[in-house]
Amino acid sequence: MFLAACGGDSSEETSSEASDDEGSEETSEGPEIGQEELTQPYVAWARETVSTHMLGALLEMVGYDVELAQVEAGAMWSSVADGSADFHTSAWLPATHGAYWEQYEEDIVQVKQVLDEAPLSLGVPSYMEDVNSLEDLKDNEELGEAVDWQVVGIDPGAGIMENTQEAFEAYGLDNWELTSSSEAAMLTTLQDAVENEEPIIVPLWQPHWIFGTLDLKMLEDPQEIYGGDGDQIFTVAREGLEEDAPRAYKVLEQYDESYEMIDEMMPKVHAEDRDPAEVVREYIENNPDQVDEWLDGVPRE
């Protein structure tokens, strides 16, 4: 999938002070484009779908062809590490993707923290009033039998799935089983359970559009298996991208997010089933000042 370019034509005039050295990586107009084709892998999680399309659109605006490759979590990390992909904006650290970072940190660069305080835990509907902590699951025969001792999970390579297996051990949840599927399948099961006011336990994280749709709560995690107050989310890149695509790297260094921004776009994509590329274009058109900050000092094509 290649994103369509959007944005105006850049001026052909050059500053009298610009360097005539064609080998220079940066002139008074901004960094050179370098390699013109980029690959950005992502997993179709709630925030990541929006954020990946946003970065792809911004990079198209400054002259790149960006291929968005939907993959599993392991492939997302390994492809950037081995250089077959260029970057992703889905690194939840230090807890959720800690194992991936430990495996690949020699080959991957942390470019920019884009969002702070992204909490994770197991979650339940708010009508499950007696379940407020992970500790409440231990030896809870009534609840266990009601849900067949199952936590309804997402894709097996996701960091929150590994966290949950660790939580089972840390909290002595020997009777519990974590099933794997996909985020979409988990959410469908969750929505069906809430509609019928049935008990259900699932992995949850924020930001996520589902919190604006259903009345949910995340379970307390006294041992901080899921990272306490929350992970930080980073954009990470392969080694050498800064030298190979200076203009793209500058955009990655300047791109950040807010809960307000992500919460505005996620429901349009996931609840209203709109094309994420369309939602992103709409946001770009309606927020020119924000776009100017992300692309400050970068020539647009």
Side-chain angles (χ1 to χ4, degrees):
M1 171 184 175
F2 284 86
L3 294 177
C6 54
D9 294 332
S10 61
S11 172
E12 295 181 356
E13 296 180 2
T14 59
S15 168
S16 61
E17 297 179 2
S19 169
D20 292 327
D21 181 3
E22 293 182 358
S24 172
E25 286 193 353
E26 188 165 339
T27 71
S28 60
E29 288 187 327
E32 291 185 351
I33 193 167
Q35 108 186 32
E36 296 184 5
E37 296 183 355
L38 300 170
T39 300
Q40 183 183 188
Y42 74 105
V43 184
W45 297 324
R47 169 204 163 264
E48 279 62 29
T49 298
V50 169
S51 299
T52 299
H53 281 79
M54 176 61 76
L55 263 178
L58 294 174
L59 290 168
E60 291 275 4
M61 291 174 69
V62 301
Y64 292 95
D65 290 324
V66 184
E67 179 184 4
L68 306 186
Q70 185 177 328
V71 296
E72 298 295 329
M76 178 178 70
W77 280 89
S78 64
S79 62
V80 173
D82 67 22
S84 59
D86 295 293
F87 68 95
H88 70 76
T89 185
S90 309
W92 292 57
L93 299 170
T96 307
H97 290 153
Y100 287 122
W101 179 251
E102 183 177 350
Q103 181 177 359
Y104 297 120
E105 62 180 317
E106 297 299 323
D107 301 306
I108 293 180
V109 178
Q110 282 189 24
V111 181
K112 174 72 177 291
Q113 177 183 301
V114 296
L115 194 66
D116 194 11
E117 293 187 8
L120 308 93
S121 186
L122 295 185
V124 301
S126 293
Y127 54 72
M128 294 176 62
E129 298 178 357
D130 295 332
V131 182
N132 298 293
S133 169
L134 292 169
E135 295 175 333
D136 295 333
L137 303 182
K138 185 175 181 179
D139 299 326
N140 192 329
E141 295 286 340
E142 181 179 357
L143 175 60
E145 292 176 2
V147 298
D148 294 326
W149 296 98
Q150 291 187 352
V151 173
V152 181
I154 58 173
D155 40 302
I160 197 170
M161 296 287 280
E162 296 181 8
N163 295 149
T164 300
Q165 294 289 5
E166 293 178 19
F168 283 0
E169 182 175 350
Y171 289 97
L173 307 181
D174 300 332
N175 294 332
W176 290 89
E177 178 186 359
L178 176 63
T179 63
S180 61
S181 55
S182 67
E183 180 183 342
M186 178 274 284
L187 292 173
T188 297
T189 304
L190 175 61
Q191 289 170 313
D192 289 345
V194 170
E195 183 176 350
N196 295 305
E197 293 194 15
E198 297 171 345
I200 187 171
I201 307 169
V202 298
L204 289 176
W205 60 93
Q206 293 178 318
H208 201 295
W209 64 272
I210 199 67
F211 285 94
T213 304
L214 303 178
D215 188 6
L216 306 169
K217 60 183 177 182
M218 296 173 70
L219 301 184
E220 296 174 6
D221 174 21
Q223 298 190 44
E224 299 189 352
I225 304 300
Y226 293 92
D229 292 335
D231 275 339
Q232 292 79 49
I233 304 178
F234 292 82
T235 297
V236 297
R238 64 170 176 82
E239 286 282 354
L241 183 65
E242 184 174 11
E243 293 74 29
D244 295 340
R247 188 180 298 179
Y249 201 86
K250 186 173 179 65
V251 174
L252 300 186
E253 288 182 311
Q254 296 180 164
Y255 175 75
D256 58 9
E257 298 174 357
S258 66
Y259 266 80
E260 181 180 12
M261 163 192 161
I262 297 300
D263 287 345
E264 177 181 334
M265 288 187 283
M266 282 191 301
K268 296 177 181 179
V269 172
H270 300 289
E272 300 175 20
D273 199 27
R274 292 176 57 188
D275 181 353
E278 175 190 338
V279 172
V280 161
R281 285 195 299 269
E282 180 181 85
Y283 187 91
I284 287 173
E285 292 172 1
N286 293 337
N287 296 272
D289 292 342
Q290 176 69 76
V291 175
D292 287 344
E293 291 181 13
W294 288 332
L295 302 184
D296 183 36
V298 182
R300 306 186 193 187
E301 299 292 328

